[in-house]
Amino acid sequence: PELTGGVAVRPTRTRVHSTGLSASQDFGSGWVARTDMVLHIDQPATSIAAIGAAPKVFNQLQAIVGLDCTTDLGLIIGGQYHFENRDPGGGRHWGSVRASWPFFDGKLEPSAFVFAGIANGDIWIQPQIHWKPDDHWDVSVRADLAGGVNGIAPGYFPNGSDFSRAMLWLAWKL
């Protein structure tokens, strides 16, 4: 539709029906398997074309299966498979790996997270360092290197996009 004379915002409240399941199993020796699944029924879709019209809805199934391990040295590493199916729209798949290793009784913890599309161009790399110099201060530095790779089917991120950013958190606790 052609917009003339200005833009109007119309809040829409639509009930979304969701149901899910979570499970985890500790196998001992630091190994834990887990899964989460949720089904959203009649989830509203946002679109500029929907202005002035009844909101479109879709059904969405999301599932994650993962395996984590904590070693005797304190290294924590985990891997996950992510699946999402939208009706309409079909299914998309991702894999991710996260590792962290706390030092100095947990006062310093570097970590890295990598999330990549399987048959889609999504990529997200997240290095982070967390420092607790004492009981009151908490400092974190994180970078998100995220976007869509050209030449591969788009995932969440459009092809050729760059959503990279850097963040610094500084907290003081009483």
Side-chain angles (χ1 to χ4, degrees), residues 84-136:
E84 175 184 279
N85 189 31
R86 289 186 181 197
D87 175 30
R92 293 186 285 193
H93 310 265
W94 300 268
S96 69
V97 176
R98 183 180 187 281
S100 66
W101 200 342
F103 295 98
F104 308 116
D105 293 324
K107 291 185 180 290
L108 183 67
E109 184 173 355
S111 65
F113 172 73
V114 177
F115 178 89
I118 300 170
N120 70 65
D122 286 344
I123 187 73
W124 176 18
I125 301 169
Q126 184 187 79
Q128 180 171 336
I129 191 154
H130 192 87
W131 178 43
K132 297 177 186 177
D134 59 33
D135 291 340
H136 299 288

Side-chain angles (χ1 to χ4, degrees), residues 24-38:
S24 62
Q25 176 64 49
D26 185 343
F27 293 104
S29 300
W31 290 92
V32 176
R34 57 192 161 67
T35 185
D36 296 287
M37 182 177 65
V38 64

